[in-house]
Every structure is written in C-alpha cells, then in structure tokens.
Amino acid sequence: MADQEELRLTVEVAYAKPFEQKILSVKVAKGTTVYDAVRLSGIVNLFPEINLETAKLGIFGKAVPKPQERELKAGDRVEIYRPLIADPKEARRKRAEKARLNKLG
C-alpha cells in the first residue's frame, strides 16, 4: 500500500501587490488542480480583493487557460495575476511620446 506522503505534493501559491507579496507552501493531493490549490491555500483570506472566479492564474509565469482542469506537479508555483491597470501598449506609447518631447526641449 502506498505511503500517504507519496500521494501528496508540495506546491506554492503566490500573489503580489506593488508593496506586498506572499508565497505560501501548500501540501495537496495528487490530482489537485491549479484552481483548487489556490482555494486550499487560504490566500484569499489574506487578500480579500482576489476574486477566485475571475482571477487569471498561471504556473511559473505562464498563464493557465483552464485552471480548474490543469493538474499540478510537485514543486509547481501557482501565481495569481492582478488585473492590469493600464494597457501596456498605451503606456509604452505615452513613455515614448514623453521621451520625444523631452528630447525636443
């Protein structure tokens, strides 16, 4: 019979705000999904602004399109992404325009 520890994985769940971040180590059963690991970690209790139903989730910087289906492997770090407050292309355009104006004097 398999040892209970063999049926468990250690993963991390991470969330970061501009001036605060938290990485929680969580033991989960084999077959646990990305979504379930976040729920089981309790990180939503620490950061109540996280809406688990709409939050974008990923593993090591790569978005997971179906977090309720993607099973985790030992050592995975699940990341909870905050919504963007500005369109990156628009922000880049504004910086370039500002730099151009500064250069002109």
Side-chain angles (χ1 to χ4, degrees):
M1 187 166 176
D3 183 56
Q4 286 289 12
E5 279 303 305
E6 290 178 25
L7 301 176
R8 299 191 65 74
L9 312 170
T10 299
V11 299
E12 293 179 329
V13 175
Y15 181 69
K17 295 177 13 175
F19 300 103
E20 181 181 10
Q21 65 183 17
K22 189 65 112 177
I23 300 174
L24 303 175
S25 183
V26 184
K27 284 197 180 269
V28 297
K30 280 189 178 179
T32 296
T33 65
V34 170
Y35 176 89
D36 288 334
V38 173
R39 188 177 49 75
L40 292 168
S41 75
I43 203 163
V44 174
N45 297 328
L46 300 173
F47 299 98
E49 69 271 17
I50 298 172
N51 180 341
L52 193 50
E53 300 308 315
T54 60
K56 303 291 184 207
L57 305 177
I59 298 174
F60 290 120
K62 295 193 182 221
V64 173
K66 297 180 180 177
Q68 292 178 325
E69 296 177 15
R70 168 68 160 74
E71 292 183 9
L72 293 168
K73 295 180 280 195
D76 279 347
R77 183 181 66 222
V78 176
E79 299 165 340
I80 305 163
Y81 305 124
R82 292 181 292 121
L84 296 175
I85 57 172
D87 176 16
K89 289 181 183 178
E90 181 64 20
R92 194 174 315 115
R93 187 193 64 72
K94 286 181 180 179
R95 284 193 307 272
E97 179 65 18
K98 183 178 179 182
R100 186 183 71 75
L101 292 173
N102 286 340
K103 193 174 186 180
L104 294 174

